[in-house]
Amino acid sequence: MTKSFFIDTTLCTACRGCQVACKQWQGLPAEKTVNKGSYENPPDLSGNTYKVVRMSEKERNGKLKWFFFPEQCRHCIEAPCLETAEDSSAIYKDKTGAIIFTKKTKDLVADDIISACPYNVPRVAKNGILTKCNMCVDRVHNGLKPACVKTCPTGAMQFGDRSTIVSKANKSLAKLKRKSSKAQLIDQKDLNVIYLVEDNPKYYFKNAIASYKYEGITRQMAIRKIFRPLTNIIKAVERIG
Amino acid sequence: MDITRRKFIQVTAGTTAGLAVSNLGFNFEEAKAYSKNLKTKFAKETTTICCYCAVGCGAIVHTSKKTGRAINIEGDPDHVINRGSLCPKGAAIKQLSENKNRLTEPMYRAPYSNKWKKVSWDWALSEIAKRVKKTRDKSFEKKNSKGQIVNRTTRIASVGSAALDNEECWTYQALMRSLGLVYIEHQARI
């Protein structure tokens, strides 16, 4: 059964409980942080950070508006990273709909995978493995909710079967539409992580909305793909030699 | 490095063989199996109350039966206050016990020194008591400017312990009031 997240950004208070719970469950260490003039930290997603609450301050109708966006992997229904990798031992789709990166991602061309992602999510860890949110599949397989969803004190994050989540999302959208006409669900049809925003997604975060519409592979990727068997052979020879 | 003809043949042959096997329906289920076991599956579960603010959220501590150390702490879904949720401070309470950076002994930095040194609990407690007594005796006011009896000190303040329960609060108040303190506050209001 495909599972989905629904993240209602209007309920998010940017407490960052999800960020901490994610690190806690995944056993990821802390990162050095700097004050950038915002409460947003750590600076970016990384090999040790799968979730970051983005905060942006914008002027709307003469008033200051603070937009919060808990960023994570969107678990695309047709995942460009998976199609680019073409190696189900490195990147595969779980029965929950989660896109999982295994340790074998270290043999992939990292730049290809990262540039394939319309939301710029995957990162290279220190050991060369590609990392990102894994939907806490271990928890989900055992009937638990992902760590971030479970900890959310305001109920901004919800998780469940896709059909239930989609209908919940549509209901919340209809409610919010009455208040702000620009309310929308971001790329709802393509993603298993559905965000509800009340204004232009670009105000929230630059990668909130897909940077391009995924329509198969680009020409550059196609060329690399043609030569991949050869480059793989050369790599393998290097390993033996 | 050089790619000799011999090595090239070795690898290409291997690759071809691999391809042949993969076409026969070889699958990677074994590689995926890692996700199926929960790390808390065999752990002991204990309930606890978060020690930070006065809300008092409930949490479950998962303790490894092998090492006896906490391996996970998350919100208690059956707790009436938080129903499984936790704020970032609560979500991080595992580090109260599982963190190599935490202090396990009292530390003392002498006035004008730039170094911390380890001291014993006995020394630290009696030193605190000594200094509290000294400051309190020096600043104790029996009467205020109007001549009313106040019996107070305004040079010491008590700050902290929002997570104390009723009885602990009573004991704490009794101790502080007996010294003559008037500035008594807990951190949730600061």
Side-chain angles (χ1 to χ4, degrees), chain A residues 15-17 20 24-25 88-89 92 100 137-139 141-142 144 150-153 233-234 236-238 240-241, chain B residues 1 3 7-8 11-12 28 32 34-36 38-40 72-75 77 84-88 91-92 94:
Chain A
C15 78
R16 299 190 290 192
V20 177
Q24 203 271 140
W25 178 260
S88 71
S89 67
Y92 71 94
I100 308 292
V137 269
D138 47 349
R139 292 174 65 94
H141 281 227
N142 288 284
L144 295 171
K150 190 180 170 193
T151 207
C152 183
I233 288 166
I234 293 168
V237 173
E238 276 175 1
I240 293 168
Chain B
M1 63 146 292
I3 299 168
K7 268 184 197 160
F8 186 80
V11 174
T12 42
F28 294 99
K32 295 174 193 176
Y34 83 97
S35 67
K36 284 178 187 145
L38 215 53
K39 68 176 175 186
T40 51
N72 180 49
I73 299 183
E74 60 184 68
S85 69
L86 282 178
C87 81
K94 189 179 101 182

Side-chain angles (χ1 to χ4, degrees), chain B residues 83-182:
Chain B
R83 298 180 191 176
S85 69
L86 282 178
C87 81
K89 281 186 89 175
I93 52 174
K94 189 179 101 182
Q95 296 187 33
L96 288 174
S97 67
E98 306 303 328
N99 188 336
K100 60 178 186 336
N101 293 325
R102 83 190 184 98
L103 298 178
T104 51
E105 279 160 289
M107 303 288 280
Y108 175 69
R109 183 178 61 79
Y112 306 109
S113 160
N114 58 1
K115 278 189 192 105
W116 290 90
K117 64 169 189 193
K118 281 180 192 172
V119 290
S120 73
W121 279 107
D122 278 348
W123 185 87
L125 285 171
S126 54
E127 194 66 21
I128 291 167
K130 240 191 276 172
R131 291 181 189 202
V132 167
K133 174 91 168 58
K134 197 176 147 202
T135 309
R136 184 248 190 196
D137 288 354
K138 225 164 94 184
S139 63
F140 197 74
E141 306 167 34
K142 264 200 163 153
K143 285 180 183 172
N144 65 6
S145 53
K146 287 180 190 164
Q148 294 160 318
I149 296 172
V150 285
N151 283 333
R152 69 182 177 198
T153 171
T154 51
R155 293 286 183 86
I156 309 176
S158 163
V159 174
S161 297
L164 292 186
D165 63 26
N166 250 5
E167 290 71 19
E168 287 162 347
C169 277
W170 190 91
T171 320
Y172 192 71
Q173 278 283 334
L175 174 68
M176 293 299 124
R177 297 288 180 197
S178 71
L179 288 170
L181 260 76
V182 284

Side-chain angles (χ1 to χ4, degrees), chain A residues 8-48:
Chain A
D8 185 343
T9 58
T10 60
L11 292 179
C12 180
T13 60
C15 78
R16 299 190 290 192
C18 48
Q19 250 177 248
V20 177
C22 173
K23 287 215 179 215
Q24 203 271 140
W25 178 260
Q26 308 274 359
L28 299 167
E31 271 181 64
K32 273 230 163 111
T33 55
V34 284
N35 189 338
K36 299 181 297 179
S38 144
Y39 289 108
E40 186 185 309
N41 248 333
D44 194 15
L45 295 171
S46 76
N48 288 331

Side-chain angles (χ1 to χ4, degrees), chain B residues 1-30:
Chain B
M1 63 146 292
D2 304 323
I3 299 168
T4 60
R5 185 171 166 273
R6 188 185 164 81
K7 268 184 197 160
F8 186 80
I9 288 167
Q10 268 175 356
V11 174
T12 42
T15 316
T16 321
L19 278 174
V21 173
S22 68
N23 286 342
L24 289 171
F26 181 77
N27 68 37
F28 294 99
E29 279 311 313
E30 238 173 283

Side-chain angles (χ1 to χ4, degrees), chain A residues 81-206:
Chain A
C81 57
L82 186 144
E83 318 250 324
T84 312
E86 280 190 321
D87 179 357
S88 71
S89 67
I91 301 181
Y92 71 94
K93 190 176 191 167
D94 189 74
K95 62 177 184 227
T96 57
I99 306 297
I100 308 292
F101 283 16
T102 70
K103 282 179 185 164
K104 289 203 174 175
T105 48
K106 102 169 159 257
D107 300 335
L108 299 174
V109 184
D111 285 346
D112 273 9
I113 307 297
I114 295 166
S115 58
C117 179
Y119 303 95
N120 186 27
V121 167
R123 294 286 183 274
V124 187
K126 268 194 186 136
N127 50 13
I129 294 170
L130 278 162
T131 60
K132 63 161 193 69
C133 157
N134 58 11
M135 210 197 252
C136 287
V137 269
D138 47 349
R139 292 174 65 94
V140 177
H141 281 227
N142 288 284
L144 295 171
K145 283 176 182 172
C148 55
V149 177
K150 190 180 170 193
T151 207
C152 183
T154 61
M157 294 192 73
Q158 294 186 43
F159 184 80
D161 293 337
R162 184 165 171 86
S163 52
T164 344
I165 286 294
V166 167
S167 69
K168 261 187 198 170
N170 284 324
K171 244 182 239 167
S172 301
L173 174 68
K175 234 188 198 171
L176 192 61
K177 272 266 183 201
R178 271 179 253 153
K179 233 173 57 180
S180 48
S181 57
K182 281 182 184 162
Q184 59 165 293
L185 297 167
I186 299 174
D187 301 336
Q188 168 207 6
K189 286 191 181 125
D190 306 324
L191 307 179
N192 274 328
V193 180
I194 304 165
Y195 287 93
L196 173 64
V197 289
E198 59 176 325
D199 212 322
N200 183 351
K202 286 276 176 199
Y203 290 150
Y204 284 77
F205 178 55
K206 62 178 194 293

